[in-house]
């Protein structure tokens, strides 16, 4: 389901459909988000105080 489908479900009051689709998208993006978090943590550890 694309963003328009999620918006249509929201406008129709189908919060269960919206919640399920958003959870699905979040799970698909989880690995990318975790990878970005690791990079940001590594950068924070490598740089001195206040340079992040």
């Amino acid at each position: 389901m694309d963003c328009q489908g999620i918006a249509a479900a929201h406008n129709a009051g189908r919060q269960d459909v919206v919640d399920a689709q958003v959870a699905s998208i979040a799970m698909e993006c989880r690995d990318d988000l975790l990878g970005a978090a690791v990079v940001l943590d590594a950068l924070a550890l490598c740089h001195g105080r206040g340079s992040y």
Side-chain angles (χ1 to χ4, degrees):
M1 180 177 279
D2 61 359
C3 291
Q4 290 177 340
I6 294 171
H10 175 72
N11 291 335
R14 296 292 315 267
Q15 191 61 40
D16 58 327
V17 174
V18 173
D19 291 344
Q21 291 302 314
V22 169
S24 176
I25 292 168
M27 291 303 290
E28 290 175 16
C29 297
R30 182 183 67 167
D31 291 339
D32 292 337
L33 292 173
L34 289 173
V38 167
V39 169
L40 290 174
D41 286 344
L43 286 172
L45 291 172
C46 291
H47 293 286
R49 182 178 241 179
S51 64
Y52 186 63

